[in-house]
Amino acid sequence: MEESPFREPVLDAKSELIDFQWKLGMAVSSDSCRSLKYPYVAVMLKVADQSGQVNSKSIEMTIPQFQTE
């Protein structure tokens, strides 16, 4: 069973989503994806916590992983 790319919550009730970007691509090599030459989804988030500190989080997964998460 593969490990979920969502190891910890990205947002909580007191966080503010600053920016959301996504792209669909074709992987030719990757450290985290075993299935190469298949489409993947990359999501980039910028989140501000209560103090206003902005943190970035990026997640890359195959289409089947994206559909089940």
Side-chain angles (χ1 to χ4, degrees):
M1 181 177 218
E2 279 189 47
E3 186 175 316
S4 171
F6 299 102
R7 293 187 184 108
E8 58 188 50
V10 177
L11 288 172
D12 63 26
K14 298 176 182 175
S15 297
E16 179 182 354
L17 180 62
I18 303 296
D19 188 34
F20 174 89
Q21 296 179 17
W22 67 276
K23 69 178 178 177
L24 180 62
M26 183 69 70
V28 291
S29 69
S30 173
D31 292 337
S32 62
C33 293
R34 294 183 198 150
S35 306
L36 301 180
K37 298 184 182 176
Y38 287 96
Y40 71 91
V41 174
V43 177
M44 287 75 62
L45 302 170
K46 284 188 181 178
V47 179
D49 63 17
Q50 286 181 0
S51 67
Q53 180 178 350
V54 177
N55 298 302
S56 296
K57 177 78 174 178
S58 62
I59 303 163
E60 182 179 308
M61 63 191 96
T62 63
I63 299 297
Q65 287 174 318
F66 179 72
Q67 291 172 329
T68 60
E69 292 297 332

